[in-house]
Amino acid sequence: MKFISWNVNGLRAVQKKGFEDIFASLDADFFCLQETKLQEGQIDLSFPGYKSYWSYAEKKGYSGTAIYTKHEPLSVAHGPGDAFPDNEGRVVTLEYEKFFLVCVYTPNSQDGLKRLSYRMEWEDNFRKYLKGLSEKKHVIMCGDLNVAHEEIDLKNPATNHMNPGFTDEERGKMTELLSEGFVDSFRFLHPDEIGYSWWSYRAAARERNVGWRIDYFIVSEGAKKLIDEAYILPEIMGSDHCPVALELKL
């Protein structure tokens, strides 16, 4: 099975940049989106053979997640569990016979780290949610996690230390997740490979490949043996992020 995850930075915007052709060419079983920036009914975008499931933010033009899938789920859930209300449309979870698929858009700590404390609370609750799912069956989690975990995951680690997405606190939460039964699929297969999934719009960062790897497929430990390939698709344009992919033997 093939999984794609992409922060589109506005689905209506990327639709004008060839999204439908990109979607068709990638031919994934599951196509997960973050930062759709939509309210319900604001777009009519369907694909033959796919159903779609959405989470919307209460704030217009903000956040939002979605999954297009060829496979009918057993159940659909929104948000990171009942204990942590999500009014920003950040999580969609589909349940299948052998696994849960979780699409997430992790909150950004923002300039001046003004939302870092909220981010830390989010991380703890989301990790608890994933661990609860993993006690039932495999978990496949993907999305924009808004953190470069290790220095290899961004071009300029020294000058970005303690900037949003590369604080000790955010990196520590990723380490905590990975130490509690989860695996970064790309880094598992490619321990020394440099690859980025996000570039600033400033200073021709993408042209110069001055980027960050902040988009991930994370799987529960038991699903590690199912990983066939994990890769990044930097040639695909339309957003400040590019898609990332995971292929599993399911």
Side-chain angles (χ1 to χ4, degrees), residues 79-248:
D82 295 336
F84 195 79
D86 177 22
N87 62 2
E88 297 182 353
R90 292 190 175 275
V91 183
V92 184
T93 301
L94 303 186
E95 180 184 6
Y96 292 90
E97 181 181 356
K98 295 183 179 180
F99 64 92
F100 292 98
L101 174 61
V102 183
C103 173
V104 61
Y105 177 39
T106 300
N108 190 299
S109 294
Q110 299 186 351
D111 291 342
L113 304 179
K114 60 186 177 183
R115 217 179 187 203
L116 182 61
S117 61
Y118 174 81
R119 167 73 176 265
M120 295 296 99
E121 185 180 2
W122 163 275
E123 294 277 4
D124 290 339
N125 281 277
F126 187 58
R127 185 177 65 258
K128 181 179 179 181
Y129 174 65
L130 294 179
K131 288 177 67 177
L133 295 180
S134 70
E135 292 170 0
K136 301 173 185 177
K137 57 186 78 176
H138 296 319
V139 173
I140 303 156
M141 181 266 282
C142 67
D144 175 2
L145 303 190
N146 263 315
V147 61
H149 183 219
E150 302 289 358
E151 290 192 355
I152 192 176
D153 294 318
L154 73 167
K155 180 69 172 180
N156 296 313
T159 55
N160 281 294
H161 182 227
M162 296 309 293
N163 282 341
F166 200 59
T167 64
D168 295 340
E169 292 88 345
E170 292 162 316
R171 296 169 67 194
K173 291 299 183 185
M174 173 68 91
T175 298
E176 198 170 341
L177 175 66
L178 298 180
S179 70
E180 294 188 19
F182 294 90
V183 177
D184 175 352
S185 60
F186 178 81
R187 195 55 71 206
F188 171 65
L189 291 186
H190 311 287
D192 302 314
E193 184 173 329
I194 294 174
Y196 306 130
S197 64
W198 175 80
W199 303 262
S200 170
Y201 281 130
R202 301 173 183 173
R206 191 159 188 170
E207 291 82 350
R208 298 186 297 119
N209 200 27
V210 179
W212 299 48
R213 187 175 75 95
I214 60 175
D215 301 88
Y216 297 80
F217 273 97
I218 306 288
V219 303
S220 52
E221 182 72 27
K224 183 170 66 174
K225 61 184 180 294
L226 304 175
I227 299 173
D228 194 29
E229 187 54 278
Y231 49 97
I232 302 170
L233 295 160
E235 70 278 5
I236 294 180
M237 309 297 284
S239 169
D240 51 350
H241 295 249
C242 74
V244 295
L246 177 68
E247 296 182 17
L248 294 180

Side-chain angles (χ1 to χ4, degrees), residues 66-80:
I67 303 175
Y68 283 88
T69 175
K70 295 179 179 180
H71 307 278
E72 185 82 25
L74 299 176
S75 67
V76 182
H78 304 272

Side-chain angles (χ1 to χ4, degrees), residues 51-75:
K51 288 190 174 182
S52 59
Y53 302 90
W54 303 73
S55 279
Y56 303 102
E58 292 178 3
K59 181 180 177 181
K60 291 183 178 180
Y62 181 73
S63 190
T65 48
I67 303 175
Y68 283 88
T69 175
K70 295 179 179 180
H71 307 278
E72 185 82 25
L74 299 176
S75 67

